[in-house]
PDB file of all heavy atoms in Angstrom:
ATOM      1  N   HIS A 251     -13.693  -3.064  31.376  1.00 90.00           N
ATOM      2  CA  HIS A 251     -13.094  -2.986  30.048  1.00 90.00           C
ATOM      3  C   HIS A 251     -14.044  -3.482  28.953  1.00 90.00           C
ATOM      4  O   HIS A 251     -14.154  -2.865  27.887  1.00 90.00           O
ATOM      5  CB  HIS A 251     -11.793  -3.790  30.000  1.00 90.00           C
ATOM      6  CG  HIS A 251     -10.687  -3.193  30.822  1.00 90.00           C
ATOM      7  ND1 HIS A 251     -10.368  -1.850  30.799  1.00 90.00           N
ATOM      8  CD2 HIS A 251      -9.823  -3.758  31.713  1.00 90.00           C
ATOM      9  CE1 HIS A 251      -9.361  -1.612  31.616  1.00 90.00           C
ATOM     10  NE2 HIS A 251      -9.014  -2.756  32.192  1.00 90.00           N
ATOM     11  N   GLY A 252     -14.717  -4.592  29.210  1.00 89.00           N
ATOM     12  CA  GLY A 252     -15.613  -5.134  28.187  1.00 89.00           C
ATOM     13  C   GLY A 252     -16.746  -4.196  27.841  1.00 89.00           C
ATOM     14  O   GLY A 252     -17.058  -3.964  26.668  1.00 89.00           O
ATOM     15  N   TRP A 253     -17.363  -3.614  28.865  1.00 88.00           N
ATOM     16  CA  TRP A 253     -18.481  -2.701  28.619  1.00 88.00           C
ATOM     17  C   TRP A 253     -18.006  -1.403  27.979  1.00 88.00           C
ATOM     18  O   TRP A 253     -18.709  -0.826  27.145  1.00 88.00           O
ATOM     19  CB  TRP A 253     -19.215  -2.419  29.927  1.00 88.00           C
ATOM     20  CG  TRP A 253     -19.879  -3.615  30.500  1.00 88.00           C
ATOM     21  CD1 TRP A 253     -19.523  -4.300  31.620  1.00 88.00           C
ATOM     22  CD2 TRP A 253     -21.014  -4.317  29.966  1.00 88.00           C
ATOM     23  NE1 TRP A 253     -20.354  -5.366  31.827  1.00 88.00           N
ATOM     24  CE2 TRP A 253     -21.277  -5.411  30.832  1.00 88.00           C
ATOM     25  CE3 TRP A 253     -21.824  -4.129  28.842  1.00 88.00           C
ATOM     26  CZ2 TRP A 253     -22.326  -6.298  30.603  1.00 88.00           C
ATOM     27  CZ3 TRP A 253     -22.864  -5.027  28.615  1.00 88.00           C
ATOM     28  CH2 TRP A 253     -23.109  -6.087  29.484  1.00 88.00           C
ATOM     29  N   THR A 254     -16.831  -0.943  28.357  1.00 90.00           N
ATOM     30  CA  THR A 254     -16.318   0.292  27.764  1.00 90.00           C
ATOM     31  C   THR A 254     -15.922   0.071  26.308  1.00 90.00           C
ATOM     32  O   THR A 254     -16.074   0.968  25.476  1.00 90.00           O
ATOM     33  CB  THR A 254     -15.122   0.837  28.565  1.00 90.00           C
ATOM     34  OG1 THR A 254     -15.466   0.900  29.949  1.00 90.00           O
ATOM     35  CG2 THR A 254     -14.748   2.222  28.089  1.00 90.00           C
ATOM     36  N   CYS A 255     -15.424  -1.121  25.988  1.00 92.00           N
ATOM     37  CA  CYS A 255     -15.149  -1.437  24.574  1.00 92.00           C
ATOM     38  C   CYS A 255     -16.432  -1.393  23.756  1.00 92.00           C
ATOM     39  O   CYS A 255     -16.451  -0.880  22.625  1.00 92.00           O
ATOM     40  CB  CYS A 255     -14.504  -2.816  24.467  1.00 92.00           C
ATOM     41  SG  CYS A 255     -12.805  -2.910  25.084  1.00 92.00           S
ATOM     42  N   LEU A 256     -17.508  -1.917  24.331  1.00 91.00           N
ATOM     43  CA  LEU A 256     -18.805  -1.858  23.653  1.00 91.00           C
ATOM     44  C   LEU A 256     -19.264  -0.408  23.520  1.00 91.00           C
ATOM     45  O   LEU A 256     -19.816  -0.017  22.483  1.00 91.00           O
ATOM     46  CB  LEU A 256     -19.831  -2.679  24.433  1.00 91.00           C
ATOM     47  CG  LEU A 256     -21.239  -2.782  23.830  1.00 91.00           C
ATOM     48  CD1 LEU A 256     -21.197  -3.452  22.465  1.00 91.00           C
ATOM     49  CD2 LEU A 256     -22.172  -3.553  24.772  1.00 91.00           C
ATOM     50  N   SER A 257     -19.025   0.398  24.542  1.00 89.00           N
ATOM     51  CA  SER A 257     -19.381   1.816  24.487  1.00 89.00           C
ATOM     52  C   SER A 257     -18.595   2.532  23.402  1.00 89.00           C
ATOM     53  O   SER A 257     -19.135   3.390  22.689  1.00 89.00           O
ATOM     54  CB  SER A 257     -19.119   2.483  25.842  1.00 89.00           C
ATOM     55  OG  SER A 257     -19.895   1.897  26.854  1.00 89.00           O
ATOM     56  N   ALA A 258     -17.307   2.184  23.267  1.00 92.00           N
ATOM     57  CA  ALA A 258     -16.481   2.804  22.227  1.00 92.00           C
ATOM     58  C   ALA A 258     -17.022   2.476  20.840  1.00 92.00           C
ATOM     59  O   ALA A 258     -17.053   3.338  19.949  1.00 92.00           O
ATOM     60  CB  ALA A 258     -15.036   2.333  22.360  1.00 92.00           C
ATOM     61  N   ALA A 259     -17.461   1.224  20.650  1.00 93.00           N
ATOM     62  CA  ALA A 259     -18.029   0.831  19.363  1.00 93.00           C
ATOM     63  C   ALA A 259     -19.351   1.552  19.095  1.00 93.00           C
ATOM     64  O   ALA A 259     -19.629   1.973  17.962  1.00 93.00           O
ATOM     65  CB  ALA A 259     -18.236  -0.680  19.323  1.00 93.00           C
ATOM     66  N   MET A 260     -20.160   1.714  20.112  1.00 89.00           N
ATOM     67  CA  MET A 260     -21.438   2.410  19.948  1.00 89.00           C
ATOM     68  C   MET A 260     -21.233   3.888  19.659  1.00 89.00           C
ATOM     69  O   MET A 260     -21.914   4.466  18.812  1.00 89.00           O
ATOM     70  CB  MET A 260     -22.295   2.213  21.197  1.00 89.00           C
ATOM     71  CG  MET A 260     -22.752   0.788  21.430  1.00 89.00           C
ATOM     72  SD  MET A 260     -23.704   0.590  22.960  1.00 89.00           S
ATOM     73  CE  MET A 260     -25.152   1.568  22.571  1.00 89.00           C
ATOM     74  N   LEU A 261     -20.297   4.518  20.377  1.00 89.00           N
ATOM     75  CA  LEU A 261     -20.000   5.929  20.127  1.00 89.00           C
ATOM     76  C   LEU A 261     -19.492   6.146  18.705  1.00 89.00           C
ATOM     77  O   LEU A 261     -19.746   7.189  18.098  1.00 89.00           O
ATOM     78  CB  LEU A 261     -18.963   6.434  21.122  1.00 89.00           C
ATOM     79  CG  LEU A 261     -19.449   6.805  22.524  1.00 89.00           C
ATOM     80  CD1 LEU A 261     -18.269   7.164  23.410  1.00 89.00           C
ATOM     81  CD2 LEU A 261     -20.434   7.955  22.465  1.00 89.00           C
ATOM     82  N   ALA A 262     -18.779   5.165  18.187  1.00 91.00           N
ATOM     83  CA  ALA A 262     -18.223   5.269  16.840  1.00 91.00           C
ATOM     84  C   ALA A 262     -19.209   4.847  15.764  1.00 91.00           C
ATOM     85  O   ALA A 262     -18.852   4.849  14.580  1.00 91.00           O
ATOM     86  CB  ALA A 262     -16.960   4.409  16.736  1.00 91.00           C
ATOM     87  N   GLY A 263     -20.431   4.496  16.155  1.00 89.00           N
ATOM     88  CA  GLY A 263     -21.393   4.039  15.157  1.00 89.00           C
ATOM     89  C   GLY A 263     -20.974   2.749  14.502  1.00 89.00           C
ATOM     90  O   GLY A 263     -21.246   2.536  13.318  1.00 89.00           O
ATOM     91  N   SER A 264     -20.274   1.878  15.251  1.00 91.00           N
ATOM     92  CA  SER A 264     -19.734   0.586  14.785  1.00 91.00           C
ATOM     93  C   SER A 264     -18.821   0.751  13.572  1.00 91.00           C
ATOM     94  O   SER A 264     -18.734  -0.137  12.725  1.00 91.00           O
ATOM     95  CB  SER A 264     -20.858  -0.419  14.488  1.00 91.00           C
ATOM     96  OG  SER A 264     -21.693   0.022  13.445  1.00 91.00           O
ATOM     97  N   ASN A 265     -18.142   1.889  13.501  1.00 95.00           N
ATOM     98  CA  ASN A 265     -17.150   2.144  12.455  1.00 95.00           C
ATOM     99  C   ASN A 265     -15.759   2.015  13.070  1.00 95.00           C
ATOM    100  O   ASN A 265     -15.364   2.849  13.879  1.00 95.00           O
ATOM    101  CB  ASN A 265     -17.343   3.548  11.873  1.00 95.00           C
ATOM    102  CG  ASN A 265     -16.420   3.828  10.696  1.00 95.00           C
ATOM    103  OD1 ASN A 265     -15.332   3.267  10.585  1.00 95.00           O
ATOM    104  ND2 ASN A 265     -16.845   4.713   9.814  1.00 95.00           N
ATOM    105  N   PRO A 266     -14.984   0.986  12.691  1.00 96.00           N
ATOM    106  CA  PRO A 266     -13.665   0.786  13.315  1.00 96.00           C
ATOM    107  C   PRO A 266     -12.733   1.976  13.159  1.00 96.00           C
ATOM    108  O   PRO A 266     -11.893   2.227  14.040  1.00 96.00           O
ATOM    109  CB  PRO A 266     -13.117  -0.451  12.603  1.00 96.00           C
ATOM    110  CG  PRO A 266     -14.331  -1.203  12.168  1.00 96.00           C
ATOM    111  CD  PRO A 266     -15.330  -0.136  11.797  1.00 96.00           C
ATOM    112  N   PHE A 267     -12.838   2.713  12.048  1.00 96.00           N
ATOM    113  CA  PHE A 267     -11.994   3.892  11.886  1.00 96.00           C
ATOM    114  C   PHE A 267     -12.270   4.908  12.992  1.00 96.00           C
ATOM    115  O   PHE A 267     -11.356   5.524  13.535  1.00 96.00           O
ATOM    116  CB  PHE A 267     -12.234   4.542  10.525  1.00 96.00           C
ATOM    117  CG  PHE A 267     -11.743   3.727   9.360  1.00 96.00           C
ATOM    118  CD1 PHE A 267     -12.587   3.373   8.327  1.00 96.00           C
ATOM    119  CD2 PHE A 267     -10.417   3.311   9.294  1.00 96.00           C
ATOM    120  CE1 PHE A 267     -12.137   2.622   7.255  1.00 96.00           C
ATOM    121  CE2 PHE A 267      -9.951   2.559   8.222  1.00 96.00           C
ATOM    122  CZ  PHE A 267     -10.812   2.213   7.199  1.00 96.00           C
ATOM    123  N   LEU A 268     -13.542   5.099  13.320  1.00 95.00           N
ATOM    124  CA  LEU A 268     -13.919   6.077  14.332  1.00 95.00           C
ATOM    125  C   LEU A 268     -13.722   5.551  15.759  1.00 95.00           C
ATOM    126  O   LEU A 268     -13.753   6.333  16.709  1.00 95.00           O
ATOM    127  CB  LEU A 268     -15.381   6.493  14.141  1.00 95.00           C
ATOM    128  CG  LEU A 268     -15.705   7.154  12.798  1.00 95.00           C
ATOM    129  CD1 LEU A 268     -17.177   7.545  12.739  1.00 95.00           C
ATOM    130  CD2 LEU A 268     -14.818   8.376  12.558  1.00 95.00           C
ATOM    131  N   VAL A 269     -13.522   4.242  15.886  1.00 96.00           N
ATOM    132  CA  VAL A 269     -13.247   3.673  17.208  1.00 96.00           C
ATOM    133  C   VAL A 269     -11.970   4.265  17.793  1.00 96.00           C
ATOM    134  O   VAL A 269     -11.829   4.378  19.018  1.00 96.00           O
ATOM    135  CB  VAL A 269     -13.163   2.133  17.122  1.00 96.00           C
ATOM    136  CG1 VAL A 269     -12.592   1.538  18.400  1.00 96.00           C
ATOM    137  CG2 VAL A 269     -14.542   1.539  16.882  1.00 96.00           C
ATOM    138  N   ILE A 270     -11.043   4.663  16.938  1.00 97.00           N
ATOM    139  CA  ILE A 270      -9.805   5.291  17.418  1.00 97.00           C
ATOM    140  C   ILE A 270     -10.133   6.522  18.260  1.00 97.00           C
ATOM    141  O   ILE A 270      -9.617   6.705  19.368  1.00 97.00           O
ATOM    142  CB  ILE A 270      -8.903   5.683  16.225  1.00 97.00           C
ATOM    143  CG1 ILE A 270      -8.475   4.432  15.442  1.00 97.00           C
ATOM    144  CG2 ILE A 270      -7.676   6.456  16.711  1.00 97.00           C
ATOM    145  CD1 ILE A 270      -7.690   4.741  14.177  1.00 97.00           C
ATOM    146  N   PHE A 271     -11.022   7.363  17.742  1.00 96.00           N
ATOM    147  CA  PHE A 271     -11.332   8.621  18.422  1.00 96.00           C
ATOM    148  C   PHE A 271     -12.240   8.404  19.637  1.00 96.00           C
ATOM    149  O   PHE A 271     -12.055   9.054  20.667  1.00 96.00           O
ATOM    150  CB  PHE A 271     -11.980   9.581  17.421  1.00 96.00           C
ATOM    151  CG  PHE A 271     -11.142   9.828  16.204  1.00 96.00           C
ATOM    152  CD1 PHE A 271     -11.432   9.204  14.995  1.00 96.00           C
ATOM    153  CD2 PHE A 271     -10.029  10.659  16.269  1.00 96.00           C
ATOM    154  CE1 PHE A 271     -10.649   9.419  13.872  1.00 96.00           C
ATOM    155  CE2 PHE A 271      -9.239  10.879  15.156  1.00 96.00           C
ATOM    156  CZ  PHE A 271      -9.542  10.253  13.954  1.00 96.00           C
ATOM    157  N   SER A 272     -13.205   7.489  19.516  1.00 93.00           N
ATOM    158  CA  SER A 272     -14.068   7.215  20.666  1.00 93.00           C
ATOM    159  C   SER A 272     -13.274   6.572  21.793  1.00 93.00           C
ATOM    160  O   SER A 272     -13.525   6.827  22.983  1.00 93.00           O
ATOM    161  CB  SER A 272     -15.245   6.321  20.255  1.00 93.00           C
ATOM    162  OG  SER A 272     -14.795   5.053  19.798  1.00 93.00           O
ATOM    163  N   SER A 273     -12.283   5.750  21.444  1.00 95.00           N
ATOM    164  CA  SER A 273     -11.443   5.121  22.464  1.00 95.00           C
ATOM    165  C   SER A 273     -10.556   6.145  23.156  1.00 95.00           C
ATOM    166  O   SER A 273     -10.355   6.076  24.377  1.00 95.00           O
ATOM    167  CB  SER A 273     -10.576   4.029  21.822  1.00 95.00           C
ATOM    168  OG  SER A 273     -11.357   2.997  21.276  1.00 95.00           O
ATOM    169  N   LEU A 274     -10.024   7.077  22.391  1.00 95.00           N
ATOM    170  CA  LEU A 274      -9.229   8.142  22.995  1.00 95.00           C
ATOM    171  C   LEU A 274     -10.078   8.974  23.956  1.00 95.00           C
ATOM    172  O   LEU A 274      -9.620   9.364  25.040  1.00 95.00           O
ATOM    173  CB  LEU A 274      -8.631   9.037  21.908  1.00 95.00           C
ATOM    174  CG  LEU A 274      -7.477   8.431  21.094  1.00 95.00           C
ATOM    175  CD1 LEU A 274      -7.130   9.339  19.924  1.00 95.00           C
ATOM    176  CD2 LEU A 274      -6.250   8.220  21.968  1.00 95.00           C
ATOM    177  N   PHE A 275     -11.322   9.232  23.561  1.00 92.00           N
ATOM    178  CA  PHE A 275     -12.209  10.007  24.420  1.00 92.00           C
ATOM    179  C   PHE A 275     -12.533   9.252  25.707  1.00 92.00           C
ATOM    180  O   PHE A 275     -12.403   9.784  26.813  1.00 92.00           O
ATOM    181  CB  PHE A 275     -13.497  10.338  23.660  1.00 92.00           C
ATOM    182  CG  PHE A 275     -14.565  10.953  24.511  1.00 92.00           C
ATOM    183  CD1 PHE A 275     -14.419  12.229  25.030  1.00 92.00           C
ATOM    184  CD2 PHE A 275     -15.728  10.251  24.803  1.00 92.00           C
ATOM    185  CE1 PHE A 275     -15.393  12.792  25.828  1.00 92.00           C
ATOM    186  CE2 PHE A 275     -16.704  10.804  25.593  1.00 92.00           C
ATOM    187  CZ  PHE A 275     -16.537  12.083  26.110  1.00 92.00           C
ATOM    188  N   LEU A 276     -12.942   7.988  25.572  1.00 91.00           N
ATOM    189  CA  LEU A 276     -13.282   7.202  26.757  1.00 91.00           C
ATOM    190  C   LEU A 276     -12.046   6.897  27.599  1.00 91.00           C
ATOM    191  O   LEU A 276     -12.129   6.799  28.824  1.00 91.00           O
ATOM    192  CB  LEU A 276     -13.970   5.904  26.334  1.00 91.00           C
ATOM    193  CG  LEU A 276     -15.365   6.062  25.732  1.00 91.00           C
ATOM    194  CD1 LEU A 276     -15.891   4.724  25.223  1.00 91.00           C
ATOM    195  CD2 LEU A 276     -16.329   6.642  26.761  1.00 91.00           C
TER     196      LEU A 276
END
Side-chain angles (χ1 to χ4, degrees):
H251 291 314
W253 295 110
T254 310
C255 289
L256 183 61
S257 299
M260 294 178 65
L261 280 175
S264 63
N265 185 332
F267 291 125
L268 299 181
V269 168
I270 297 175
F271 304 103
S272 63
S273 297
L274 287 171
F275 171 69
L276 291 174

